[in-house]
């Protein structure tokens, strides 16, 4: 590796570099090329990036109809500044999930999945089996730490309405390692609720539940909310650890369409009634427009990595 530095020490130095810099470093010599492309180093780089907490926001925006989504990386700062444009992958493509720098895209038009690393421009595709008629399905994506494998899960079900008394909502979680379902209880204050205005997110590596309240209906397909509460499960799987972390209470009634994500500096990304992204400060209750709008958009947490990097010398 070097007359003066061991391979382990070089790896410790290189793991601190950005993906862009590491791609350039592969040109230094064959040994560096092999090191940077090695799965062990890629895992080491992911661990360091995760610990250093250097995330971005991957924004999927649709500006035309029929839908042709564009993907843009934004920095996780107060201004939500644009970091890099990533292009598009055709019509009718949605983000199924993002993990360790990989983005799983569900291509409904061509009935396929695309697992894509935007930082290095590599991707793989796979076909999906046709789902049964009359079923609803959704796709999830994650990392199985026990087998060190990335997995795609598609869950199909027949939607039915039950009128039974005492029916309660709960969270169904899927264990990627054991491939079994588990049930998680909602916060005690919401356990008897049948309100559909509930969604899940991640806050500081913990499961978060977003409960929008006081809806204002404009028509059958469009509504906004006056406020929402955000609960965080401090100890995963322990229902008693649910804690009400924030309340989003906007000064203008009906100005909240949905909560999108959480910023490192403490802000909460929301979609306001003008279909624009804004940052809400829960301490001051101040809303800061971020001058970003689209026909439909989604915001996902993202970190750059070298996963899917090919070693052409191996």
């Amino acid at each position: 590796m070097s007359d003066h530095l061991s391979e382990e020490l070089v790896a410790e130095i290189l793991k601190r570099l950005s993906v862009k810099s590491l791609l350039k470093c592969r040109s230094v010599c064959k040994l560096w090329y092999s090191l940077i492309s090695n799965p062990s180093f890629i895992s080491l780089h992911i661990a360091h990036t995760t610990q250093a907490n250097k995330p971005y926001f991957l924004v999927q925006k649709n500006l035309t109809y029929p839908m042709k989504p564009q993907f843009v990386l934004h920095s996780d700062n107060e201004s939500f500044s644009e970091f890099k444009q990533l292009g598009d992958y055709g019509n009718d493509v949605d983000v199924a999930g993002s993990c360790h720098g990989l983005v799983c895209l569900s291509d409904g038009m061509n009935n396929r999945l695309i697992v894509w690393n935007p930082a290095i421009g590599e991707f793989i595709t796979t076909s999906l089996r046709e789902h049964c008629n009359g079923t609803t399905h959704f796709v999830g994506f994650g990392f199985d730490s026990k087998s060190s494998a990335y997995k795609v899960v598609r869950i199909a079900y027949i939607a039915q309405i039950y009128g039974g008394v005492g029916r309660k909502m709960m969270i169904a979680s899927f264990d990627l390692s054991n491939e079994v379902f588990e049930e998680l209880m909602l916060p005690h204050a919401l356990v008897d609720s049948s309100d559909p205005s509930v969604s899940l997110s991640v806050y500081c590596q913990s499961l978060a539940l977003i409960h929008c309240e006081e809806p204002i209906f404009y028509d059958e397909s469009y509504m906004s909310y006056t406020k929402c509460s955000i609960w965080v499960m401090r100890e995963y799987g322990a229902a008693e650890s649910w804690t009400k972390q924030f309340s989003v209470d906007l000064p203008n009634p009906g100005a909240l369409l949905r909560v999108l994500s959480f910023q490192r500096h403490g802000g909460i990304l929301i979609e306001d009634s003008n279909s624009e992204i804004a940052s809400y400060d829960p301490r001051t209750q101040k809303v800061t427009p971020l001058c970003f709008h689209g026909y439909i958009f989604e915001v996902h947490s993202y970190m750059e990595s070298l996963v899917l990097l090919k070693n052409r010398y191996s």
Side-chain angles (χ1 to χ4, degrees):
M1 175 63 63
S2 170
D3 294 336
H4 305 287
L5 300 177
S6 66
E7 181 175 337
E8 291 77 14
L9 183 56
V10 171
E12 282 294 313
I13 295 172
L14 292 179
K15 77 178 185 181
R16 291 164 168 78
L17 300 181
S18 67
V19 168
K20 182 179 180 180
S21 297
L22 287 171
L23 294 178
K24 292 180 179 179
C25 286
R26 291 192 304 166
S27 302
V28 172
C29 62
K30 287 187 176 181
L31 288 175
W32 278 35
Y33 192 109
S34 180
L35 170 65
I36 293 169
S37 305
N38 189 287
S40 297
F41 176 79
I42 292 173
S43 297
L44 184 69
H45 183 258
I46 288 174
H48 176 78
T49 304
T50 302
Q51 186 177 15
N53 192 23
K54 298 178 179 179
Y56 295 96
F57 288 113
L58 175 66
V59 180
Q60 173 188 342
K61 59 181 180 179
N62 301 277
L63 300 178
T64 61
Y65 189 87
M67 301 303 179
K68 189 172 184 179
Q70 298 176 342
F71 299 96
V72 182
L73 284 183
H74 284 256
S75 298
D76 186 1
N77 54 25
E78 292 188 17
S79 64
F80 197 65
S81 56
E82 183 177 303
F83 175 71
K84 183 193 300 184
Q85 293 195 18
L86 303 176
D88 62 76
Y89 265 85
N91 298 339
D92 197 25
V93 174
D94 292 307
V95 176
S98 175
C99 179
H100 291 176
L102 295 181
V103 180
C104 181
L105 302 175
S106 177
D107 182 355
M109 182 173 291
N110 299 298
N111 202 39
R112 64 173 181 163
L113 291 176
I114 304 167
V115 179
W116 171 42
N117 185 329
I120 63 175
E122 299 280 358
F123 66 91
I124 57 175
T125 62
T126 184
S127 299
L128 278 175
R129 295 179 181 177
E130 293 288 345
H131 62 276
C132 301
N133 292 331
T135 64
T136 302
H137 76 283
F138 61 89
V139 178
F141 176 71
F143 179 69
D144 178 1
S145 58
K146 290 185 179 179
S147 63
S148 296
Y150 296 91
K151 294 183 177 180
V152 177
V153 178
R154 183 172 68 161
I155 300 174
Y157 59 94
I158 299 175
Q160 296 181 352
I161 299 176
Y162 296 89
V165 177
R167 183 172 176 81
K168 298 179 180 180
M169 289 196 305
M170 62 179 56
I171 300 169
S173 69
F174 185 76
D175 189 314
L176 287 177
S177 298
N178 302 324
E179 299 188 354
V180 295
F181 281 98
E182 300 174 350
E183 294 181 351
L184 300 177
M185 299 301 296
L186 272 66
H188 181 73
L190 303 177
V191 72
D192 293 322
S193 172
S194 59
D195 191 339
S197 304
V198 173
S199 60
L200 297 177
S201 186
V202 176
Y203 173 77
C204 293
Q205 307 299 317
S206 295
L207 181 65
L209 182 145
I210 302 165
H211 177 226
C212 293
E213 305 171 60
E214 300 181 15
I216 297 176
F217 295 90
Y218 298 93
D219 56 45
E220 293 182 356
S221 61
Y222 181 80
M223 72 176 71
S224 62
Y225 301 91
T226 299
K227 60 182 179 179
C228 78
S229 55
I230 298 170
W231 298 75
V232 175
M233 182 176 265
R234 294 298 181 186
E235 180 183 348
Y236 185 78
E240 65 276 8
S241 70
W242 281 113
T243 304
K244 191 173 181 178
Q245 187 75 24
F246 302 111
S247 291
V248 178
D249 196 352
L250 302 186
N252 299 324
L256 173 67
L257 292 184
R258 55 187 171 138
V259 171
L260 297 169
S261 193
F262 304 96
Q263 298 174 279
R264 278 186 298 172
H265 71 274
I268 301 174
L269 290 179
I270 64 169
E271 180 181 2
D272 63 22
S273 56
N274 296 318
S275 294
E276 296 183 348
I277 296 180
S279 178
Y280 174 82
D281 188 333
R283 294 163 296 184
T284 63
Q285 296 185 312
K286 180 182 178 181
V287 179
T288 304
L290 298 176
C291 299
F292 185 98
H293 64 277
Y295 186 74
I296 295 178
F297 51 80
E298 299 287 342
V299 178
H300 303 269
S301 180
Y302 176 80
M303 59 174 279
E304 291 191 320
S305 81
L306 295 166
V307 181
L308 289 185
L309 187 66
K310 298 175 182 177
N311 186 348
R312 294 179 176 83
Y313 291 130
S314 60

